[in-house]
Amino acid sequence: MKPVRTRFAPSPTGYLHIGGARTALFSWAFARRHRGTFILRIEDTDVARSTPEAVQAILDGMQWLGLNHDEGPFYQMQRMERYKEAIQQMLANGTAYYCYTTREELDTLRAEQEVRKEKPRYDGRWRPEPGKKLPTPPAGVPAVIRFKNPKDGVVAWDDQVKGRIEFANSELDDLIIARADGTPTYNFCVCIDDWDMGITHVIRGDDHVNNTPRQINILQALGADIPQYAHLSMILGDDGAKLSKRHGAVSVMQYDDDGFLQEAVINYLARLGWSHGDEEIFSREQFVEWFDLDHITASAAQFNTEKLLWLNQLYMKQMPVTELAIKIKARLTARNINTDTGTNLEQAVTLYVDRCNTLNVLADAVEIFYTHVTPNPDLLAQHLSDEAQPALADFAAGLANVAWEAPAINALIKETVTQHGLKMPKLAMPLRAILTGQTQTPSVDAVIVLIGREKAMAALAQNIK
């Protein structure tokens, strides 16, 4: 068998979204699994829509996900001479021909076919055939170049995901492979690239299924080897609609901005349409070791944001606290919040991580230890009852001399509520409201310890009547 060579070939007309990222991941993992080569190719022939910003967004997304390529990136616009050379070869071999049909003639042909309820298609009027006399090329009409698609038989392949797929050649008209200005078209460029780059396995979305028979026929006409194809089914959004750039498919880098860990995203993407038994949680290395094309489902995968959040929280909890604190520090620094003095950030992160499912949520939670908290007046009005005020005053007085550790502060809380005949929430809730501006926190004694004696007493003094 030939060494495995896969490719990821996005068009730079937008960011790298979750569907493209899954395709890249599966192509990368298959190459890694078989100690092969993973190639990055930028299909930028759509000059009107391709942008340098989109190219950079794709490169950034690949780097963030850790999907390192072995060759490339190759840019199709830099390979134009190679495509034109191959087209001249096909013209010489009789597998391509010049077509002078005008746009108006094609529109008329299509209208007539629609009236007859026929499939709109080019009728081959400029296709050379034995014994056929072609018209004289009209003056001033630039020619396109069409591929001479076989008329008979079928084109078929054993798709590694969808199984046997067959198309009748009679259903395929003669594809334009070069426009009137000489620019090669997408399907032709893909064939030449896959041939030149020795691609053995094409793993891509099933929106390319209809391109595959045309590409196979072109490759056969070139005398090239035919790759194996694996077409991945679409991804549906949370609401069951197709995930697309216009519907819920955000940039991969948005997940970074939103506080997701790369490894959680990789783990989640891996399970979108592929499985290894009942395994839900696995490392990148395990995924590469297990990955195959046999266990990719042919049915659509559904994106589930709640599942991704759950997985992200799990990865956050498993991450060494030193690494997690570094990530939180970076996010707080971006908010101009200094974490170098005061509360130990690793301790704050440890206290709150079990309650947070993204880095952003965790950063929001621990921010209270490094900023001045101004509780919402309505929140204070709700919890600072007249009944609680005396207890708060006694507790604040006790803080001045208590040992600064959670057990001692917990004992002071219990002593205060007992002395005033209150239930624990009657003191704990106003303490949370005053010190954190929140009603849901970890154990209030642990929170107070991290806030620090001076800051806690100052906040209580400001809010107790």
Side-chain angles (χ1 to χ4, degrees), residues 21 26 48 65 67 76 137 169 180 183 241 280-281 283 292 335 363:
F26 284 11
L65 290 170
L67 303 181
Q76 287 185 330
N169 277 318
T183 307
E280 290 282 351
I281 315 299
S283 68
D292 58 15
R335 304 177 188 180

Side-chain angles (χ1 to χ4, degrees), residues 106-212:
L106 287 173
D107 289 343
T108 300
L109 174 63
R110 185 173 294 108
E112 292 170 350
Q113 290 170 332
E114 289 175 353
V115 168
R116 296 193 298 267
K117 299 190 182 328
E118 296 173 357
K119 180 180 177 181
R121 52 187 289 121
Y122 172 65
D123 61 1
R125 61 185 65 180
W126 286 93
R127 178 184 172 114
E129 300 286 8
K132 177 179 179 181
K133 183 175 175 59
L134 295 175
T136 301
V141 176
V144 300
I145 300 174
R146 290 184 181 270
F147 169 60
K148 196 175 183 182
N149 195 79
K151 282 189 170 182
D152 303 318
V154 299
V155 54
W157 72 96
D158 292 313
D159 196 277
Q160 301 297 295
V161 174
K162 297 181 175 298
R164 185 73 172 177
I165 298 178
E166 296 184 356
F167 283 78
N169 277 318
S170 59
E171 292 296 309
L172 305 173
D173 60 1
D174 289 353
L175 180 74
I176 294 175
I177 59 174
R179 302 177 183 90
D181 64 0
T183 307
T185 58
Y186 166 78
N187 273 298
F188 183 75
C189 295
V190 167
C191 293
I192 301 302
D193 288 342
D194 285 347
W195 182 24
D196 286 355
M197 296 173 190
I199 302 302
T200 61
H201 295 77
V202 174
I203 302 169
R204 60 187 180 187
D206 65 1
D207 53 331
H208 288 282
V209 165
N210 289 334
N211 291 328
T212 303

